[in-house]
Amino acid sequence: INMVINKWLHEKILAWEIELQEELNIDVKNLDYVLQDGLFDKVTTRFENHNTLLKEKILNSLDLELIKEKLPEYQEIDIKIFKDTPGFKLWPHSDRINHRAFIMINLIDNVDSTTFYDHTDKYLCTASNKKNKGVFHLLHQGNPTQHAIENTSQKDRYTAIAFFKSSKPLISGCCP
């Protein structure tokens, strides 16, 4: 376990800044990536690495006890390693109902990071863009919120995202 929670991001969002205390040592620029399939219709700027050993390394860095405390109903963790090329954009959106939370970790110092909005698309805050930092966000609980990302830089953006999934009914009132 390598993850610590640093601070609550915003009073209207169930999201906290997280930080990995030890370096993951993933050479992201020299991995093999393929175009991510199944993500919206015309996104051609997000690529994914499928190395199971790296995904396991990321999983082992997470504090699963703490996550289980905040999200007791999760049943599955899906780890993704992404390369978002310049111009990548996901508009403000809410995730599928079976996605109950995510942890996003910057694998390098990125220019852009996840941004959060209320249900009227009003900007609320931005997660850290620094290497080994990121965000833990509980979905579909508390105030209705959305999140988005855009790579506005001329460099590739590298992140790992752990999606916590469940088919069980939502349990409300767990946080903050």
Side-chain angles (χ1 to χ4, degrees), residues 113-125:
S113 192
T114 305
T115 51
F116 293 91
Y117 301 84
D118 70 11
H119 68 284
T120 67
D121 290 346
K122 178 184 171 200
Y123 170 81
L124 297 173
C125 66

Side-chain angles (χ1 to χ4, degrees), residues 31-66:
L31 297 178
D32 292 325
Y33 293 91
V34 294
L35 185 64
Q36 185 191 21
D37 53 355
L39 178 76
F40 306 110
D41 282 335
K42 298 168 184 161
V43 176
T44 59
T45 49
R46 172 164 271 184
F47 296 82
E48 186 176 348
N49 174 275
H50 293 285
N51 184 312
T52 53
L53 292 176
L54 291 179
K55 290 180 179 190
E56 192 172 308
K57 184 177 193 177
I58 293 163
L59 178 65
N60 290 336
S61 73
L62 304 178
D63 187 341
L64 298 180
E65 290 297 316
L66 177 70

Side-chain angles (χ1 to χ4, degrees), residues 96-143:
R96 297 176 183 139
I97 194 70
N98 70 317
H99 288 204
R100 299 302 168 83
F102 68 79
I103 291 177
M104 182 280 298
I105 302 163
N106 293 289
L107 298 176
I108 63 168
D109 284 342
N110 287 304
V111 172
D112 299 296
S113 192
T114 305
T115 51
F116 293 91
Y117 301 84
D118 70 11
H119 68 284
T120 67
D121 290 346
K122 178 184 171 200
Y123 170 81
L124 297 173
C125 66
T126 300
S128 176
N129 62 344
K130 299 300 178 199
K131 183 177 183 179
N132 295 325
K133 288 189 175 186
V135 64
F136 172 38
H137 179 40
L138 294 177
L139 301 162
H140 314 297
Q141 299 182 46
N143 296 313

Side-chain angles (χ1 to χ4, degrees), residues 79-94:
I79 306 280
K80 304 282 189 182
I81 300 169
F82 289 130
K83 174 175 82 170
D84 298 333
T85 59
F88 172 76
K89 183 170 188 170
L90 283 183
W91 299 94
H93 65 282
S94 298

